[in-house]
């Protein structure tokens, strides 16, 4: 059986790490590359975080590429401290002084274009951070989107409920122009796991405790990086998520990855055109759903709404129980 080819574009924080582990555990996925972008941390930290995750599962053969260090337009805003200053909870002391030697020299955007062009209509792109690399890819190669098989995005929102601003979700808020470009110009099948989708399909804190207490290297890694992070504490301060949706364990980026791995995880979705607001002083970065086709756009996306919690939970559990297995870097770079 032919494996599904995937490129993961990430700003590797704790939930990205969980999503990458999920992809590594999926037997039917071939990860062609991991491309890095600023977001949860500076892009240099993101690169190191990805290398750490791959190392946990002995999958260092997968090529990692450094990408955009700031948004498409304007100056880079300070990175989020949601997952700590380094993106992985500020608990890892084993700094690799030679990490740059392990990163491919080619820029992430160029690598993305090359790999997709060489495998047209075969590659699924899973975008877990700000969409800057994707926006640059379509600007460099206008035919890039039509060469993709499909695109999975964790980001945006569908009800104007924001987590970093009043109306916008983090990945879209830090680079609204790139989010706008991608959702206007990527005409391939596109699936959006919005902030509300993730929050509405939260798992229990009891499940989280079971997840991180498995006897496996990946589980121990996840337990360590979540150990001091308030976002992974049942007793944490009240967040916007709690106010809007109530408490629960949410591994945001894993929802987009799960949809890529197994489409049956998604039970319901809304098919409609969308647009990212860029001008509003209050709503900049908000994703607007056009259910009445007032925008007269020719392209609709699938905005995910309901998740099969049991299947999603199984994928999460498999991600931390996985045995270490190597993947050769031959033919990938």
């Amino acid at each position: 059986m032919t494996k599904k080819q995937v490129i993961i574009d990430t700003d590797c924080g704790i939930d990205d790490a969980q999503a990458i582990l999920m992809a590594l555990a999926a037997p039917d996925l071939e990860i062609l590359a991991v491309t890095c972008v600023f977001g949860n941390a500076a892009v240099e930290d993101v690169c190191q975080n990805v290398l750490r995750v791959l190392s946990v599962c002995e999958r260092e053969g997968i090529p990692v590429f450094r990408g955009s260090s700031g948004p498409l337009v304007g100056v880079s805003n300070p990175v989020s401290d949601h997952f700590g200053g380094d993106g992985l909870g500020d608990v890892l002391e084993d700094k690799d002084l030679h990490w740059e030697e392990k990163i491919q020299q080619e820029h992430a955007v160029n690598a993305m274009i090359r790999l997709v062009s060489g495998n047209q209509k075969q590659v699924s792109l899973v975008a877990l951070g700000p969409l800057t690399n994707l926006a640059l890819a379509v600007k460099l190669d206008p035919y890039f989107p039509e060469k993709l098989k499909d695109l999975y995005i964790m980001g945006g929102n569908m009800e104007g409920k924001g987590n970093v601003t009043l109306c916008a979700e983090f990945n879209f808020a830090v680079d609204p122009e790139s989010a706008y470009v991608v959702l206007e110009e990527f005409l391939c099948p596109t699936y959006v796991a919005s902030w509300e989708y993730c929050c509405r399909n939260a798992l229990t804190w009891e499940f989280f405790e079971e997840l991180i207490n498995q006897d496996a290297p990946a589980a121990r890694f996840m337990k360590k990086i979540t150990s001091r992070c308030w976002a992974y504490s049942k007793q944490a301060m009240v967040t916007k998520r709690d106010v809007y949706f109530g408490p629960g364990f949410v591994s945001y980026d894993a929802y987009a990855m799960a949809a890529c791995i197994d489409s049956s995880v998604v039970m319901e979705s809304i098919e409609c055109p969308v647009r990212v607001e860029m001008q509003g002083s209050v709503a900049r970065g908000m994703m607007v759903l056009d259910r009445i086709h007032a925008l007269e756009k020719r392209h609709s996306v699938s905005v995910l709404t309901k998740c099969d919690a049991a299947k999603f939970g199984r994928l999460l559990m498999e991600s931390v129980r996985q045995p270490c297995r190597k993947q050769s870097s031959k033919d990938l770079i």
Side-chain angles (χ1 to χ4, degrees):
M1 181 177 175
T2 305
K3 292 189 176 185
K4 186 174 187 176
Q5 297 181 335
V6 172
I7 294 173
I8 303 172
D9 189 66
T10 178
D11 62 338
C12 196
I14 293 175
D15 57 337
D16 302 71
Q18 185 79 75
I20 295 169
L21 289 173
M22 185 182 282
L24 294 172
D28 297 331
L29 248 59
E30 178 186 10
I31 304 173
L32 297 181
V34 181
T35 54
C36 301
V37 66
F38 82 103
N40 283 315
V43 71
E44 293 79 11
D45 285 321
V46 170
C47 292
Q48 293 174 72
N49 293 346
V50 170
L51 291 173
R52 288 186 177 107
V53 175
L54 297 179
S55 176
V56 168
C57 299
E58 297 183 5
R59 300 288 293 278
E60 295 97 327
I62 297 172
V64 180
F65 299 85
R66 176 165 32 191
S68 304
S69 59
L72 194 63
V73 176
V75 237
S76 179
N77 295 319
V79 293
S80 167
D81 65 351
H82 188 73
F83 299 133
D86 68 353
L88 290 185
D90 295 324
V91 295
L92 301 174
E93 299 173 357
D94 54 332
K95 297 290 184 182
D96 185 351
L97 299 179
H98 305 287
W99 68 269
E100 290 190 89
E101 299 172 8
K102 301 175 183 178
I103 300 293
Q104 303 299 314
Q105 293 301 304
E106 187 179 16
H107 191 278
V109 176
N110 294 330
M112 196 181 282
I113 293 171
R114 174 176 56 79
L115 290 167
V116 170
S117 297
N119 300 276
Q120 294 192 29
K121 300 294 187 181
Q122 298 177 53
V123 179
S124 297
L125 179 54
V126 184
L128 306 177
L131 298 177
T132 319
N133 287 339
L134 281 68
L136 288 171
V138 73
K139 292 305 178 185
L140 287 173
D141 179 3
Y143 298 104
F144 177 74
E146 66 185 56
K147 297 175 187 176
L148 282 171
K149 179 181 180 182
D150 44 31
L151 170 63
Y152 296 82
I153 297 171
M154 189 281 125
N157 53 348
M158 52 186 172
E159 298 167 8
K161 296 173 180 176
N163 60 356
V164 290
T165 66
L166 182 61
C167 295
E169 176 276 334
F170 175 79
N171 286 340
F172 282 25
V174 298
D175 193 350
E177 281 75 18
S178 286
Y180 179 90
V181 166
V182 170
L183 289 174
E184 294 294 318
E185 299 190 29
F186 277 61
L187 304 185
C188 59
T190 300
Y191 306 88
V192 180
S194 70
W195 186 58
E196 294 98 332
Y197 170 68
C198 301
C199 294
R200 282 220 167 84
N201 292 281
L203 301 177
T204 66
W205 284 110
E206 290 73 21
F207 175 87
F208 172 69
E209 289 299 323
E210 182 184 357
L211 183 76
I212 62 172
N213 283 297
Q214 299 297 306
D215 183 20
R220 288 190 285 273
F221 177 74
M222 290 304 300
K223 185 172 185 177
K224 183 173 184 178
I225 63 178
T226 58
S227 61
R228 297 181 193 168
C229 183
W230 62 265
Y232 286 86
S233 169
K234 185 178 180 180
Q235 292 78 31
M237 65 182 82
V238 176
T239 65
K240 289 183 181 178
R241 183 190 71 200
D242 299 318
V243 171
Y244 291 140
F245 308 103
F249 162 58
V250 183
S251 185
Y252 300 97
D253 291 325
Y255 289 87
M257 186 62 72
C260 177
I261 293 169
D262 181 0
S263 61
S264 70
V265 168
V266 180
M267 299 178 70
E268 294 177 9
S269 61
I270 298 168
E271 303 285 330
C272 69
V274 299
R275 177 156 289 165
V276 177
E277 171 60 38
M278 293 195 296
Q279 304 303 324
S281 59
V282 173
R284 177 170 158 80
M286 181 178 77
M287 183 175 73
V288 179
L289 275 62
D290 179 16
R291 303 195 197 199
I292 60 172
H293 296 275
L295 297 174
E296 299 182 351
K297 292 181 64 176
R298 61 191 176 99
H299 174 54
S300 292
V301 305
S302 297
V303 182
L304 314 183
T305 56
K306 187 176 180 180
C307 171
D308 186 323
K311 287 184 178 179
F312 179 63
R314 283 197 293 272
L315 287 174
L316 277 174
M317 201 61 74
E318 289 165 8
S319 76
V320 297
R321 288 175 174 167
Q322 61 183 297
C324 296
R325 57 191 181 90
K326 297 182 183 295
Q327 172 174 309
S328 171
S329 60
K330 185 179 67 172
D331 301 327
L332 294 187
I333 61 173

